[in-house]
């Protein structure tokens, strides 16, 4: 039995090369939602999410610096992470599209005291967070949120994204 040698190809770390690198790292898919100061809902698809600390329960999301969702989130001081389940691909694509009518096309609720809209059909779990820190980096802003409330909505596997494809945890 012979072993094939590893293929080594080096390239400059351009934005396209970096995007390609990160596409090879599968991750869960969320919709970040918030309500602006006028009571209007905002949201976008996000796969740049990570846990930071258990005490206090803190996570981070990375959002594009020019995003109107980011601006609404910063102005309100709170947001909701909707962890999408495996049957929510259309919603993930809708919230990534920039369609200004996205909230008219999906069912959502805003219970009292939450950070943003809960996507009640499409999220398996939501985390309502208070903004505790922001850090700009290049063309994105890292937002640290302390989770104030966690609500389980559906017992479904998570939606994953990698290699520019959506998949179910059960399909991996």
């Amino acid at each position: 039995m012979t072993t094939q040698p590893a293929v080594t190809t080096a390239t400059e770390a351009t934005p396209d090369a970096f995007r390609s690198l990160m596409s090879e790292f599968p991750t869960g898919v969320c919709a970040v939602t918030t309500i602006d100061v006028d009571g209007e809902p905002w949201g976008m698809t996000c796969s740049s999410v990570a846990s930071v600390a258990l005490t206090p329960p803190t996570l981070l999301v990375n959002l594009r610096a020019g995003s109107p969702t980011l601006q609404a989130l910063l102005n309100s001081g709170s947001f909701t992470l909707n962890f999408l389940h495996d049957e929510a691909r259309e919603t993930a694509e809708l919230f990534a599209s920039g369609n200004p009518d996205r909230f008219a096309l999906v069912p959502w609720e805003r219970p009292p005291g939450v950070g943003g809209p809960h996507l009640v059909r499409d999220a398996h779990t939501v985390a309502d967070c208070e903004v505790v820190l922001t850090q700009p980096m290049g063309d994105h802003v890292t937002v640290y949120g302390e989770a104030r409330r966690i609500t389980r909505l559906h017992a479904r596997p998570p939606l994953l994204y990698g290699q520019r494809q959506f998949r179910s945890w059960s399909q991996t």
Side-chain angles (χ1 to χ4, degrees), residues 3-4 12 37 40-41 52 57-59 61-63 72 75 81 86 90-91 95 100 102 126 133 139 169:
T3 305
Q4 293 290 334
E12 183 180 348
V37 294
E40 294 298 316
V52 175
T58 306
L59 49 79
V61 296
N62 290 301
L63 304 176
N75 289 340
L81 266 182
D86 64 342
E90 288 181 14
T91 296
F95 275 70
R102 64 188 72 137
V126 297
L133 179 68
D139 58 358
W169 183 269

Side-chain angles (χ1 to χ4, degrees), residues 63 65 134-143:
L63 304 176
T134 61
Q135 177 64 52
M137 176 58 69
D139 58 358
H140 279 66
V141 174
T142 301
V143 178

Side-chain angles (χ1 to χ4, degrees), residues 17-101:
F18 190 72
R19 184 178 291 113
S20 180
L21 166 73
M22 294 312 297
S23 78
E24 297 296 323
F25 184 71
T27 185
V29 182
C30 294
V32 178
T33 59
T34 192
I35 300 289
D36 69 16
V37 294
D38 296 323
E40 294 298 316
W42 290 88
M44 63 186 287
T45 299
C46 181
S47 60
S48 298
V49 176
S51 63
V52 175
L54 292 176
T55 308
T58 306
L59 49 79
L60 65 79
V61 296
N62 290 301
L63 304 176
R64 185 177 47 83
S67 162
T69 298
L70 172 63
Q71 192 58 55
L73 180 155
L74 295 175
N75 289 340
S76 73
S78 63
F79 63 97
T80 294
L81 266 182
N82 291 271
F83 291 82
L84 300 181
H85 61 66
D86 64 342
E87 292 184 356
R89 176 183 177 164
E90 288 181 14
T91 296
E93 291 171 340
L94 173 66
F95 275 70
S97 74
N99 183 331
D101 298 322

Side-chain angles (χ1 to χ4, degrees), residues 5-16:
V7 176
T8 304
T9 305
T11 184
E12 183 180 348
T14 63
D16 286 340

